[in-house]
């Protein structure tokens, strides 16, 4: 399942770090974080999508405490 989310991230470097961290998580097929459009596209296993999304948000906040997402 692939979903797009509005996010708030402060810089392109932070977006790249978040994208890399989430992409390497178990259950994530792919993740794209765009600083320019302030959007995140998450592709994860259908059966565990909500669980993976919660873990992805937690991971993103570890990388960048100011990260915010509209669920």
């Amino acid at each position: 399942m692939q979903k797009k989310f509005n996010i708030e991230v402060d810089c392109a470097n932070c977006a790249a770090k978040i994208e890399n961290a989430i992409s390497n998580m178990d259950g994530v097929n792919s993740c794209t974080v765009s600083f320019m459009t302030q959007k995140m596209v998450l592709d994860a296993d259908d059966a565990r999508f909500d669980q993976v999304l919660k873990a992805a948000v937690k991971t993103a906040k570890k990388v960048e405490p100011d990260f915010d997402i509209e669920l």
Side-chain angles (χ1 to χ4, degrees), residues 8-60:
E8 186 175 323
V9 65
D10 294 337
C11 68
N13 188 43
C14 296
K17 288 181 182 178
I18 292 168
E19 181 177 310
N20 189 38
I22 293 174
S23 293
N24 291 325
M25 290 176 48
D26 185 42
V28 174
N29 299 327
S30 68
C31 178
T32 305
V33 178
S34 174
F35 168 69
M36 294 299 288
T37 62
Q38 296 288 300
K39 302 238 185 266
M40 177 177 80
V41 178
L42 180 65
D43 184 7
D45 297 336
D46 290 352
R48 299 180 10 188
F49 191 86
D50 291 335
Q51 179 185 5
V52 171
L53 177 59
K54 286 180 183 180
V57 171
K58 193 173 189 178
T59 299

